[in-house]
Amino acid sequence: MEPLRSLRLGEILVARGAVHQEQVDEALELQKIRPKRLAELLLDLGYIEEDALLEALGEQFGMSVELDLRNKIDSSLTTKVPVSFIREYHMVPYRQNGASCLVAVNDPISLHPLDDLRLLLDSPVTPVLCRKADIQYIIDLYFEQQSENAGELIDDLALEEGEGKVHTLDGAESERDLLDLANEAPIIKLINLIISGAVRERASDIHMEPFEHSVRVRYRIDGVLYEKFTIPRTQQAAVVSRVKIMANLNIAEHRLPQDGRIKIRLSGKEIDIRVSIIPIAHGERVVMRILEKGNFLFSLEQLGMDKRDHQLMDKLILSSHGIILVTGPTGSGKSTTLYAALQRVNSPDKNIITVEDPIEYLIAGIGQIQVRPKIGLTFAAGLRSILRQDPDIILVGEIRDMETAEMAVQASLTGHLVFATLHTNDSAGAVTRLINMGIEPFLVTSSTIAIQAQRLVRRICPNCKEEYTPDPAGLSDLGLSPDDPRVRVLHRGTGCDKCAGRGYYGRSGIFELLVMTPRIQEMVLQGADSNAIKRESRRQGMRTLREDGAEKMLRGETTMEEILRVTRDEMLEEVVN
């Protein structure tokens, strides 16, 4: 039932003035190495808004467009369709229009499931193009209507426990009993709701922490932990056993730490969950790291890099050989930055291979190796094998030991461009870290091109953003004068439904890019410490993490409190030195 299309999408968009022909041509070139539709690539590249794209697709396919879907939903229609159908096809009936039922769709090409929908509804159906986020909103709304939330389920478990209906575990229970209890319907539903709730709230981690009388469940959202639920202590063993079963771990082992992985599908997305379980005083503590699998397509600018650093990094990553290091603590976005750099240099004439733990994003045209220490496939072993594959560019997920560091240096000196991450607080500290690992200073200077330190800061929620007059004390900590006209009015979030009252929504990077200039190389060879190297880099124009954060604060992207929170290490170093 696909309508005739007299004009191509690119021609319609150019005619409407939504994009330039050069942008369409760039997307078509990208299509040769990335098998995506033109519409998706234009969206990914940021050349067009979804609303303008839907209007153009509506013209191309002769379909109506609805951009205000959320206020026009008849939930009685939605519940007539199995949730599995809605999730699989991303196609939702939302309103009756005379004899026909209007169906929200985002893809005007894949309309074959409409025939099944017509039978399910026993009514004629009319597809209407709608935003992807609005369709997902209906799916989430339906999911919440069809199932209890985790809080209600926990209350029911506590009530049943009070009535003597729940059997709890102790050390004498057999493995079979553990298995039976972990597979009881309420426990399965509870874990599913905790995980789906975390994904829906954009959490990166789930923490389950047992205490004397309860188990606390917290989500890490935008880098900060928030308490969500409290589970009765009597259910702790059953909950942990259920997580172990999902992660293929030994449910009878309670004395030793265990690590595993869970793979699930949620709302059509593939979710990879890394599970860590350790024994503590009151039971076993569980942390689940949530990774959404998918194709990566971000630019360095989209990560929050300013124009100067972006242009400089753009030149550096086109080098023929050398090492580019990205440093920062766990969860500071190092891997994401390196993926963006790889995306920039990825082309059919380059052989790019990575060794990672874990593979967080899949990039078309790049060979990606998953580290497996249990079978001897470490970073060093993977890197050794990569060098036999005639690579042009190599990504090392993390330099953890001297062997990996030595091999990365040798690879860079033999004509390869190497991207790698390292755990240090700032860019200058990476130099001394490599030397302390056993790499000779002359090898560090001859192999390293640049070092970038970074942190992630929370963005102000655009929905509840307001102006306010800042506290002068905080401004001086950021190196700003209260008399500076730029700081008379700053911005913050007041809290709303979109950000769950937090005032923040999403994160952006702050960066510190140190280039290994001849003067810096000379200082390293002379044995200068990281503070001296940092001071010289600043004299040469490098902007520190705190200075970059202050600029983003002045632009209204984040808050003063957030910059002070994530750059505390930098301030402590200045106090000490």
Side-chain angles (χ1 to χ4, degrees), residues 504-553:
Y504 296 98
Y505 191 87
R507 289 189 290 177
S508 178
I510 58 173
F511 303 93
E512 174 182 292
L513 183 57
L514 184 157
V515 179
M516 195 66 72
T517 62
R519 175 57 188 148
I520 299 295
Q521 290 176 331
E522 183 183 335
M523 291 179 69
V524 173
L525 293 172
Q526 291 171 351
D529 63 17
S530 60
N531 293 315
I533 292 170
K534 189 169 186 176
R535 283 193 296 269
E536 178 59 31
S537 297
R538 289 187 70 187
R539 276 195 290 271
Q540 294 182 11
M542 182 187 80
R543 189 156 63 182
T544 66
L545 288 167
R546 200 189 331 164
E547 289 166 345
D548 191 40
E551 281 297 320
K552 288 179 169 60
M553 177 194 73

Side-chain angles (χ1 to χ4, degrees), residues 266-307:
L266 186 63
S267 298
K269 298 176 186 173
E270 186 179 335
I271 310 293
D272 191 13
I273 301 172
R274 282 187 286 169
V275 178
S276 172
I277 300 176
I278 61 169
I280 60 173
H282 296 291
E284 291 176 282
R285 191 180 192 278
V286 179
V287 174
M288 293 186 274
R289 166 64 58 89
I290 300 169
L291 299 167
E292 285 191 27
K293 292 289 195 180
N295 293 317
F296 182 90
L297 191 59
F298 287 148
S299 70
L300 294 168
E301 286 175 307
Q302 287 173 313
L303 301 178
M305 201 173 287
D306 74 3
K307 187 175 180 181

Side-chain angles (χ1 to χ4, degrees), residues 410-422:
Q410 291 303 321
S412 70
L413 294 175
T414 53
H416 304 89
L417 180 61
V418 179
F419 295 105
T421 72
L422 194 64

